[in-house]
Amino acid sequence: MSSGCRLRVAICGAGIAGLTCALALSRHPDIEIDVFESAGKLAEVGAGIGLFPRPWQIIRELGLEQDLLKTTESRLIEGPVPSFRYRKSDQREGLEFYRLITQGALIFLHRADYQQTLLRHLPASCRTYCSKRLRTYIQRSGAIELFFEDGTSHVCDVLIGADGLKSVVRKAMLNEKADRAKAQGRWKEVSEMLSSVDPVWSGTNAYRTLIPAERLRARAPTHAVLTSPMQYLGKNGYVIAYPISRGKMINFVAFDMHHELENTKFDGPWVTISDKSSFASRFRNWEPDVQALLDCVENPLLWAIHTIPPMRSFISGRATVMGDAAHAMTPHEGSGAGQAIEVVVHPLLRAHHTLTINQDAYLLATVLGHHNTNRTNVYKALAVYDEIRRPAAYHVMEHSRMNGHYFTLHVDGVDFDSGKPREQWDNLQKLGRMFEKNWEWAWTTSVDGMVKEATYRMESF
Ligand SMILES: *[C@@H]1O[C@H](CO)[C@@H](O)[C@H](O)[C@H]1NC(C)=O
């Protein structure tokens, strides 16, 4: 331990979440940082992440802006930008009813580029280790000892779990809390705590594939998706499709939703190569544009979307979780071969996801880096993180979940198929405003209020 060290922080998980947190913390030279990754090497794969210009603020403050912009074709465009067009499509002739306008254009970054950029910016004093899979931890008075699957251990003052949907830190933390509750006879809390250990199925399956634009053009020369991001809505399912790679490819995702099965256990592999017949019948009577897309789909990847049941707290003493480990919204899953496959639910959801991760990381660095925080009172600093971030993250998660309902025309008391055309039109307009409001957070939010609030609380330590 270096003599000037005020706090020893261990981070489990060297994905985007863990590394962003490490980078934010590294701005405080008196914090010692060790990052432990379970995989054998640092190699993020998958479709990518997205951010709107306004929340780009954290990227700028972390000094990543110039390097990240070099890795993408996206440009920082501010002001109103037309985005997805929405149609009611579960009928012979579709009805276009809404056009989403965002503030600024979504910037796409590849996960691997993002991870490499983060790594390059980490100071040498911040150590990263691979093949370090956490088994469990033990909190003693004044420190935490981590135990890894390879038989080694490590002592620190704070443990941050950035280890994803199937987080070991979350599991150890919840087991620790449940043991404490058991010892005190708080039985009801025991089962509640343990219910957040394992992810649950959201009731939604996504089928994703890439369609060569040429194939779609041959089938439907003037298809709207060739030039615009489209979203086709209907009862119990929806399709999103948009051009990528300078228009050469179409990113296609079909969602099959079973609202009544939300929070149940999914039978079978969570990610697997599927075939069209397993979902196409759901869209049998939908409009011709949807049929044209379906005709072009081959071997889609089935992804059973899982989430973490909400927890009462993200902390236990000196341990905490962040990112997907705390509030998975767009889980990316490991396949059998140990390779991560990410299926993008929705580009706007991806923007929500990236922003919540950045905010978690930034706020953790704010409270741990505060001059009033030391080894003795660090659990109080984590409590400030928990009190500010948990409600905010769950708010975003709930709004994203609600959009899943809106996209499947699942709104209490509204039947989008009955009534006069005028009434249907008005209901659809209302629906459009409802989901626009739920996405808005992604392009309007800033971190200033959050940081101010945390700093205010830290001053009164
Ligand atoms: C930590 O900070 C608290 C409150 O500011 C203070 O009372 C305590 O003595 C400090 N502990 C150490 C080890 O510096």
Side-chain angles (χ1 to χ4, degrees):
M1 191 196 316
S2 54
S3 52
C5 164
R6 174 165 55 101
L7 218 51
R8 296 164 298 174
V9 176
I11 299 172
C12 281
I16 304 290
L19 292 180
T20 304
C21 188
L23 182 61
L25 281 168
S26 73
R27 303 195 306 167
H28 305 280
D30 53 356
I31 295 183
E32 218 173 76
I33 307 158
D34 292 284
V35 186
F36 300 98
E37 167 60 41
S38 60
K41 58 179 182 171
L42 299 180
E44 281 265 22
V45 293
I49 63 172
L51 268 173
F52 283 102
R54 172 109 191 252
W56 189 252
Q57 182 188 3
I58 293 178
I59 304 285
R60 201 168 286 148
E61 289 203 22
L62 293 178
L64 298 171
E65 180 171 29
Q66 292 313 318
D67 281 4
L68 282 179
L69 283 179
K70 278 183 214 149
T71 71
T72 175
E73 293 166 15
S74 307
R75 301 254 206 76
L76 273 177
I77 300 169
E78 315 220 19
V81 174
S83 174
F84 278 87
R85 287 159 55 187
Y86 290 84
R87 295 173 69 85
K88 182 179 184 305
S89 302
D90 57 345
Q91 50 201 36
R92 288 257 164 257
E93 219 175 294
L95 174 65
E96 188 150 333
F97 67 92
Y98 208 77
R99 173 126 214 194
L100 186 67
I101 307 287
T102 61
Q103 285 305 314
L106 192 62
I107 300 150
F108 289 95
L109 303 165
H110 290 284
R111 301 189 76 83
D113 294 338
Y114 198 107
Q115 188 188 33
Q116 289 308 315
T117 305
L118 284 167
L119 278 169
R120 268 205 313 279
H121 280 77
L122 280 184
S125 61
C126 171
R127 292 169 295 248
T128 52
Y129 309 86
C130 289
S131 304
K132 286 283 178 192
R133 184 179 294 278
L134 187 72
R135 183 160 51 81
T136 190
Y137 70 76
I138 295 178
Q139 304 208 41
R140 304 209 174 82
S141 62
I144 297 194
E145 187 164 10
L146 312 184
F147 298 93
F148 297 98
E149 295 286 0
D150 65 0
T152 59
S153 64
H154 176 85
V155 177
C156 60
D157 302 310
V158 181
L159 167 62
I160 297 173
D163 49 350
L165 185 67
K166 294 179 178 170
S167 168
V168 179
V169 175
R170 183 183 68 244
K171 182 175 168 189
M173 209 177 82
L174 290 168
N175 279 321
E176 177 187 43
K177 286 157 86 92
D179 284 347
R180 209 179 303 141
K182 247 182 246 170
Q184 296 169 355
R186 294 179 280 126
W187 297 104
K188 227 181 95 200
E189 287 173 48
V190 173
S191 59
E192 187 199 289
M193 285 161 182
L194 295 180
S195 73
S196 299
V197 168
D198 294 318
V200 290
W201 185 38
S202 63
T204 301
N205 287 338
Y207 295 84
R208 191 236 179 184
T209 193
L210 291 175
I211 298 172
E214 278 319 308
R215 192 190 300 164
L216 180 63
R217 195 169 284 123
R219 168 71 176 72
T222 58
H223 201 290
V225 163
L226 293 168
T227 52
S228 168
M230 297 295 298
Q231 194 163 335
Y232 302 96
L233 313 187
K235 261 210 171 68
N236 302 324
Y238 66 96
V239 170
I240 64 175
Y242 53 94
I244 57 169
S245 302
R246 299 203 170 104
K248 287 201 281 291
M249 292 299 231
I250 305 296
N251 192 49
F252 169 96
V253 196
F255 294 81
D256 184 9
M257 285 188 83
H258 304 265
H259 295 285
E260 72 288 359
L261 295 177
E262 189 176 357
N263 299 333
T264 59
K265 195 171 176 310
F266 183 76
D267 282 328
W270 296 3
V271 179
T272 180
I273 303 290
S274 174
D275 65 83
K276 202 176 359 186
S277 63
S278 52
F279 75 99
S281 61
R282 166 73 86 195
F283 302 96
R284 201 172 36 228
N285 298 316
W286 288 40
E287 65 168 309
D289 272 8
V290 174
Q291 303 309 325
L293 283 166
L294 286 173
D295 287 348
C296 298
V297 170
E298 279 171 8
N299 303 324
L301 195 66
L302 156 66
W303 178 43
I305 300 171
H306 282 70
T307 61
I308 313 291
M311 296 181 276
R312 278 204 206 180
S313 151
F314 287 170
I315 55 173
S316 175
R318 298 162 168 274
T320 189
V321 281
M322 65 167 291
D324 281 352
H327 44 71
M329 279 181 269
T330 57
H332 22 277
E333 265 315 298
S335 73
Q339 190 197 26
I341 298 179
E342 184 197 39
V343 185
V344 175
V345 171
H346 195 297
L348 297 176
L349 189 54
R350 184 154 66 175
H352 273 178
H353 183 243
T354 314
L355 187 48
T356 48
I357 285 177
N358 280 343
Q359 292 190 341
D360 286 358
Y362 201 75
L363 202 70
L364 272 170
T366 303
V367 297
L368 295 178
H370 194 277
H371 56 84
N372 280 349
T373 303
N374 61 35
R375 287 179 188 185
T376 320
N377 65 17
V378 68
Y379 67 94
K380 280 162 71 182
L382 291 180
V384 172
Y385 157 78
D386 178 54
E387 283 160 23
I388 293 177
R389 287 302 305 149
R390 190 168 32 85
Y394 284 150
H395 180 82
V396 175
M397 200 168 144
E398 177 57 19
H399 281 83
S400 298
R401 180 181 161 273
M402 278 160 67
N403 271 358
H405 285 235
Y406 297 162
F407 293 158
T408 49
L409 310 178
H410 194 82
V411 180
D412 272 349
V414 184
D415 183 347
F416 291 93
D417 284 311
S418 78
K420 301 187 174 62
R422 181 75 227 174
E423 190 183 320
Q424 185 194 43
W425 179 255
D426 288 347
N427 281 336
L428 287 169
Q429 290 295 303
K430 225 181 285 168
L431 185 77
R433 284 193 295 274
M434 277 154 71
F435 57 64
E436 173 150 357
K437 209 162 179 333
N438 279 347
W439 286 139
E440 230 168 44
W441 179 83
W443 55 83
T444 58
T445 205
S446 98
V447 293
D448 299 339
M450 183 183 88
V451 167
K452 220 165 130 187
E453 163 93 30
T455 309
Y456 175 76
R457 294 199 201 186
M458 298 302 299
E459 294 296 342
S460 63
F461 256 35

